[in-house]
Structure formats: C-alpha cells, structure tokens
C-alpha cells in the first residue's frame, strides 16, 4: 500500500488519454498526463512522489516537493483559514497546517519552519510548527567529526540553535559564524563536540563546513579559483579586516591565514606587501 508523502519507483501498467497508471498493488495510481515523462511506455519505471489531490485521492507526480514526510523545512504561507493555514510545498496541492499546530498563528507570505508528517487518521500530509519535543539528544546517531545536515532553528544568547539531521539539536556558536544566517537556513556542517548532560540529554556543539584537512582543501581551491578569476592577484593579506575577508572569500580570517600559509608552503602563491599573487605554472 502506497503512503502519501514519500517517493516511489513504480512501473507503468497501462496508458490512458489523461496519463498513465502505475503499479500500486491494486488497480493502479494515476500519474496525470502533464507529469508523464516523454517517451514513457508500459513497463517503464518512473520515480514519483505520492500525495492526495484536491479531491482527496492518492495521486502521483514527478514534481519535486519542497519537503516530504519527516522533513523539517522553511515554507511560505499562501493561504489562511480559521481552521489552519496552507503552505507552498512545490506541488499542485498546498500543505495544510492545523491551527492547533501553529505557534503564534500564520500570516500570508510569511515563512515558517515546520515538520511534515502524515496524519494518522486520514493518511494525508500535513505540517506542524510544534515539533521541538520530537528532537532527541539522549540517543545519538552522530559522533564527533561526523559531517551532518544543519537547519537553523532560532537565535540564542550564545549563537544559534540548529537541528542536526532532522533528529537532534546543537549549538552553532557566534564565533563559528562568518555569514548572515536565519531561521530555516540549511547547510552542511560537522559535530565539533559532545558533552554528556546530567539529565541524559547530550549537549552538541557544531561548526559549519567540513572538519580539519577537508575544510582546508576546499578553501584552498576557492582561493586559487578566485586568484585565477582576478588576474592572479588579490589585495587581501594578514592585516586585512576580517569582515572584508569574509565578504570576499566566505571564510574567517583565521581560516584565510591558515589556507594561504599552506598554499605559500606548497609554492602556489606568494605574499606581497598589499596582497597575494598566484605563482605562474
């Protein structure tokens, strides 16, 4: 039995004027004509997303949703009613957020961080702002130096509370932030430290980017590319303002100095009084 809110790879079992039917273990599920890939024939496998249409029937689409069941995502409100709000999920039918699942109500065109779930009674996709108690730091699925997906949840006194792999929470401290971020932003990072808590809930510190040597390799490539794109010279050095370095390179001054030092030792750049220069190969 197919469930709403998930991707499936299904074979075509018959073709009709208004689309194709895909195998669902019963009479077939419709993929409307507008979403049928060109050249499809009976027996071909199609990757589709399953959800309920406007008439509450399960239907398939090749559209890419902004979020599927289990995802935490920032979505835009496109309609409000006394019963709840509707968010744009990238599909023909918008995603419903019951009024009881909202924190302070939702307004038209506002952006909200929600978790997508499947309603147990109806089987339909829905979303909720009230998901923080589902995040668990007692039973961890990560360890120090693991690369993870981070979602910004909210600002705190020491940095930003972030969601780790849609399962745990961690703190991205202000001294690890080198660009403007906001609620709902997603980026890759890694686990910097884990401290066991007295209540059984572990405290996790994270950092953006990649750990250790992998981060240096990535930033080295960026600096070399920028040098090539700017006539082999850039007016930045160890006395440059940290904010100017971040604005141009997207990295902290500490990382910039470490990476340029490595490139100098590798004889790929030279230091000049007013900047760095690419060594001609």
């Amino acid at each position: 039995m197919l469930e709403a809110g998930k991707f499936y790879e299904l074979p075509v079992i018959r073709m009709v004027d208004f689309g194709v039917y895909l195998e669902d273990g019963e009479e077939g599920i419709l993929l409307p004509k507008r979403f049928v890939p060109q050249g499809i024939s009976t027996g071909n496998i199609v990757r589709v997303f399953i959800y309920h249409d406007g008439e509450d029937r399960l239907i398939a689409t090749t559209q890419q949703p902004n979020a599927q069941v289990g995802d935490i995502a920032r979505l835009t409100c496109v309609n409000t009613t006394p019963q709840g709000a509707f968010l744009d999920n990238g599909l023909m039918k918008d995603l419903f957020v019951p009024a009881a699942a909202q924190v302070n109500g939702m307004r038209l065109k506002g952006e909200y961080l929600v978790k997508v779930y499947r309603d147990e009674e109806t089987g339909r996709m829905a979303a909720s702002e009230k998901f923080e108690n589902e995040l668990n730091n007692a039973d961890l699925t990560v360890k120090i130096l693991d690369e993870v997906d981070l979602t910004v949840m909210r600002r705190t006194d020491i940095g930003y509370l972030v969601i780790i792999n849609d399962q745990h929470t961690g703190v991205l401290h202000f001294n690890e932030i080198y660009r403007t971020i906001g609620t709902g932003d997603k980026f890759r990072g890694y686990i910097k430290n884990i401290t066991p808590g007295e209540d059984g809930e572990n405290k996790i510190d994270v950092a953006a980017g990649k750990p250790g040597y992998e981060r240096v390799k990535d930033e080295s490539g960026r600096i070399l590319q920028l040098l090539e794109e700017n006539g082999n010279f850039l007016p930045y050095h160890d006395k440059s303002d940290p904010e100017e370095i971040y604005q141009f390179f997207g990295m902290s001054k500490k990382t910039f100095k470490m990476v340029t030092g490595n490139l100098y030792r590798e004889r790929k750049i030279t230091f000049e009084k007013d900047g760095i220069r690419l060594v001609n190969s």
Side-chain angles (χ1 to χ4, degrees), residues 74 111-113 151-155 160 181-185:
R74 180 178 60 197
E111 294 185 338
Y112 301 92
L113 192 64
T151 304
V152 179
M153 195 167 184
R154 62 173 178 271
R155 184 185 174 106
Y160 283 85
I181 62 175
T183 298
D185 284 355

Side-chain angles (χ1 to χ4, degrees), residues 73-90:
R74 180 178 60 197
L75 303 176
T76 302
C77 179
V78 293
N79 191 21
T80 60
T81 70
Q83 291 74 38
F86 291 88
L87 306 181
D88 177 14
N89 195 30

Side-chain angles (χ1 to χ4, degrees), residues 75-258:
L75 303 176
T76 302
C77 179
V78 293
N79 191 21
T80 60
T81 70
Q83 291 74 38
F86 291 88
L87 306 181
D88 177 14
N89 195 30
L91 304 175
M92 296 293 291
K93 184 180 180 182
D94 298 319
L95 187 62
F96 184 60
V97 185
Q102 301 173 29
V103 175
N104 294 310
M106 293 183 170
R107 56 180 177 78
L108 192 63
K109 296 184 179 180
E111 294 185 338
Y112 301 92
L113 192 64
V114 296
K115 182 171 184 177
V116 181
Y117 67 93
R118 185 182 302 106
D119 185 270
E120 293 183 358
E121 293 185 6
T122 65
R124 292 192 295 263
M125 291 173 63
S128 173
E129 285 189 285
K130 300 178 180 179
F131 60 83
E132 191 169 347
N133 62 348
E134 298 179 26
L135 303 173
N136 170 25
N137 276 25
D139 302 314
L140 295 184
T141 61
V142 296
K143 61 184 183 299
I144 293 175
L145 296 183
D146 276 1
E147 291 188 47
V148 293
D149 292 316
L150 302 176
T151 304
V152 179
M153 195 167 184
R154 62 173 178 271
R155 184 185 174 106
T156 71
D157 292 339
I158 58 176
Y160 283 85
L161 183 68
V162 297
I163 302 165
I164 303 167
N165 291 346
D166 288 348
Q167 300 179 72
H168 313 301
T169 59
V171 175
L172 178 64
H173 291 267
F174 286 129
N175 63 354
E176 292 286 351
I177 301 171
Y178 305 109
R179 65 180 178 87
T180 301
I181 62 175
T183 298
D185 284 355
K186 292 178 177 287
F187 46 87
R188 292 286 287 172
Y190 65 95
I191 305 299
K192 190 174 181 181
N193 190 44
I194 298 175
T195 304
E198 294 181 359
D199 58 355
E201 290 284 324
N202 298 283
K203 297 179 181 179
I204 306 175
D205 294 325
V206 302
K210 296 184 177 182
Y213 184 60
E214 290 301 317
R215 168 184 272 185
V216 173
K217 286 199 299 183
D218 282 357
E219 307 297 17
S220 294
R222 183 184 308 175
I223 289 177
L224 292 174
Q225 180 180 349
L226 287 169
L227 280 164
E228 292 175 354
E229 293 173 353
N230 290 272
N232 296 339
F233 177 81
L234 290 171
Y236 299 94
H237 44 78
D238 61 357
K239 302 298 182 184
S240 296
D241 182 85
E243 187 63 28
E244 290 181 358
I245 289 176
Y246 178 74
Q247 289 297 325
F248 189 81
F249 294 97
M251 65 184 73
S252 68
K253 184 173 181 178
K254 178 181 178 181
T255 299
F256 172 79
K257 291 173 66 176
M258 178 174 61

Side-chain angles (χ1 to χ4, degrees), residues 46-58:
V46 187
R47 186 174 188 268
V48 294
F49 186 75
I50 305 299
Y51 72 112
H52 287 82
D53 66 10
E55 297 182 17
D56 210 26
R57 300 170 300 188
L58 275 181

